[in-house]
Amino acid sequence: SRRRQRKLKQKEKKDRNAEDPRGEGGGVFNSAEFNEVAKKADKSKLKRSDLEVSSYDRREEQVWTALANLELDMQLLDNLAGQKPQLSALELVLLSSSVAAAASGPWILGGKLTEFLAPAAAAFSAALGIGAEYVGRVAVADGKEVAASTIGCASEAEGFLANAERAKAITPLCVGVGATATTFSLLVPVLLGSVESSIMTEVYLACPLISVLSAAVCSLALEDTKVFAKRATSVGNRRFAKSGLVGRTWLSAGEQITGKSDNYRRKWRTFCLSVLPAPILGAVVPGASLATKSIIVAALAAAQSAYFLAECEYSLARATDAVALKARSAAVCDTYANQGARSAAILPFTSALSGLCAAATAAIVELPFLETLSVAGTLSSLASEMVIVSFFPAFSTLFAAAASVSKARCEVQAEAAVQAASTLALEYTSDDDDDPILRPFRGVTELIRLTYTSSILEPCQQLWRRFRISIGYSWNKVKNAFRWSKDNFPQSRHS
């Protein structure tokens, strides 16, 4: 039983080391519930990408499993950096040579170089560790600066999206006004049919005029919404594009001026097209009275307002999805930068330990018992003196090697932050199939398909399966009863 308890303790210790290999006291989502779920979850389950939320009682567990998967992804780069040797051949030779030089001091020239070789070797190893700290700190600073730039870009995109929302805010009001004007245009002939007045024409034309003006305002709001949505979608494309992709978003000064003129021309063209069609179509209706023509004009203008509202929502939906993608990329970039900062947190401590070993080595070589061992002249005294003077330089070398691993982790996380920042430069305005932005019509179709599958198809399939099982069970009972009667009744008759 003791042996079994010892094995269980060793297994628990191994599991704890596997969950926290860096000894940093847990991951980002460090809580009792998360640790319990992560401990019970299978590694293949954590790495599965097609997690399905099937029932309400399992959703909480699946959420914690997804968070555990995120934690594993965050630690993946650090684990990969730790599995590979980070010391170059030159650094390995230099560190080994420094330890060998510190150990060989007592027997070179009768021990006269001990006071120089051992402190120099420890100081050299400490210098390599401090150099690793410098490189790691610079990498962390680069990642932090890149993350700050991405967050600023995402905030700028949010500002343009807010302007698009503000421009679109008037369109529902215009649709309501147009619908109300259309309704009144239907009521005016009924209410004023028996009234004869000289202002009947003005009364008939008031509702179509209001509806047409509402459609015109909607068209102007649509153009402003499209402009701000396009700016929110394209912000950061040049700022974070790589050198080979800048040409895809580059525009000369002439092209920019021409584009601005085209925008103004398109704006006024849209305004004219939103004002003229309804009155023209209403005027050319043959054989219709003024009341009927006013109803037609008001209804067409109201339909135009509703169409412009749908266009605004379409553009705004794509811009919102693009801004959300930018914000997510900025968050991923900031996450990797913070992960690099976590890796760099140990570097000052390793440098301090290396400096402590160098100072301890300089103090040990000045102690009088080393002279006593040197004067003894025996092989054991020489070996003892070599071990003593090389003890702290060896530890300084180990601390320098540990700092190199942490430095490599910082560099990997900084590179990951840079690559995450480059995703802000995707061509969101392209019409290709690989466009990562939301396609509203395709999204609505997918939602309808999911609703049909989850609410109609799956329940019908479950009902059909239950019906088949019940029919099969009943048929088996009937067959068994028939067999029993066939086997037993003839015997009873014979008896």
Side-chain angles (χ1 to χ4, degrees), residues 18-39:
E19 292 174 3
D20 189 16
R22 298 168 55 186
E24 294 178 345
V28 178
F29 310 102
N30 189 16
S31 63
E33 189 174 359
F34 169 76
N35 294 331
E36 183 178 358
V37 172
K39 188 182 297 183

Side-chain angles (χ1 to χ4, degrees), residues 21 24 32 51 55 58 61 81 85 148 164 187 234 242 254 265 278 282 315 430 459-461 468 476:
E24 294 178 345
L51 292 175
S55 60
R58 294 184 56 195
E61 180 182 356
L187 294 176
S234 62
K242 295 182 179 179
R265 192 179 299 112
S315 301
S430 63
C460 291
Q461 290 178 350
R468 289 180 60 186
N476 290 331

Side-chain angles (χ1 to χ4, degrees), residues 302-336:
Q304 280 185 308
S305 300
Y307 172 76
F308 292 146
L309 176 60
E311 281 283 331
C312 286
E313 295 294 350
Y314 181 89
S315 301
L316 200 60
R318 287 181 56 84
T320 303
D321 189 68
V323 172
L325 287 175
K326 293 177 185 295
R328 188 179 65 180
S329 299
V332 171
C333 181
D334 188 55
T335 300
Y336 280 118

Side-chain angles (χ1 to χ4, degrees), residues 316-369:
L316 200 60
R318 287 181 56 84
T320 303
D321 189 68
V323 172
L325 287 175
K326 293 177 185 295
R328 188 179 65 180
S329 299
V332 171
C333 181
D334 188 55
T335 300
Y336 280 118
N338 291 328
Q339 193 74 7
R342 291 187 66 195
S343 300
I346 197 68
L347 287 174
F349 184 66
T350 57
S351 299
L353 291 177
S354 299
L356 178 62
C357 290
T361 304
I364 282 178
V365 297
E366 299 296 335
L367 294 178
F369 70 88

Side-chain angles (χ1 to χ4, degrees), residues 182-199:
T182 303
T183 304
F184 275 105
S185 66
L186 293 172
L187 294 176
V188 165
V190 178
L191 297 178
L192 302 180
S194 59
V195 179
E196 296 182 0
S197 176
S198 59
I199 61 172

Side-chain angles (χ1 to χ4, degrees), residues 81-103:
Q83 291 174 0
K84 297 181 180 180
Q86 301 301 332
L87 289 175
S88 62
L90 179 61
E91 291 176 343
L92 187 60
V93 169
L94 291 176
L95 291 175
S96 302
S97 301
S98 64
V99 177

